[in-house]
Amino acid sequence: MITNLFRVILLVGILLYILLIIYLMKKGRMSLKYSLVWFLTGLVLLICAAFPQLIGFATGLLGIYSEVNGVFFVGVCFILLIILSLTSIVSGLSERLRTLVQTQGMLEKRVRELEEKLSAMENK
């Protein structure tokens, strides 16, 4: 079981974490769409820090031998969720970048062709 001092430190740390997410969103450094996973993580941490008995109850339901193992399991699950979310974001941005580069290439080709036509007309 955790001590009351450690619980207070956890709660303050988690609240600072959530405030940091809100600050980053206000400054435009993190969009709402991508911050939902981070908020979900913060809320679960807040609930677990406020009610540590839930960890014991959840580990019992899942058949996990130790509460520490349950905490590590939940941590790994959240890390996987965050990695999956970031991979999805990077994949989407990669596709958008590829489309942008192709469009720019076509526009550059068109500009070169128009410049060649213009210089050919001026030489006549």
Side-chain angles (χ1 to χ4, degrees), residues 80-99:
L80 288 174
L81 181 64
I82 289 169
I83 290 171
L84 179 65
S85 172
L86 292 175
T87 301
S88 171
I89 293 165
V90 168
S91 296
L93 290 175
S94 176
E95 181 64 29
R96 289 177 60 194
L97 180 62
R98 185 180 59 78
T99 303

Side-chain angles (χ1 to χ4, degrees), residues 49-96:
F51 307 104
Q53 311 88 321
L54 289 176
I55 296 171
F57 178 73
T59 54
L61 281 177
L62 295 173
I64 298 173
Y65 178 70
S66 168
E67 289 180 2
V68 173
N69 290 341
V71 169
F72 282 124
F73 174 74
V74 169
V76 168
C77 288
F78 272 109
I79 289 170
L80 288 174
L81 181 64
I82 289 169
I83 290 171
L84 179 65
S85 172
L86 292 175
T87 301
S88 171
I89 293 165
V90 168
S91 296
L93 290 175
S94 176
E95 181 64 29
R96 289 177 60 194

Side-chain angles (χ1 to χ4, degrees), residues 2-21:
I2 62 174
T3 64
N4 286 335
L5 175 62
F6 186 62
R7 185 182 302 173
V8 169
I9 292 170
L10 279 175
L11 290 171
V12 169
I14 294 166
L15 289 174
L16 289 174
Y17 167 79
I18 291 172
L19 289 174
L20 177 64
I21 294 170

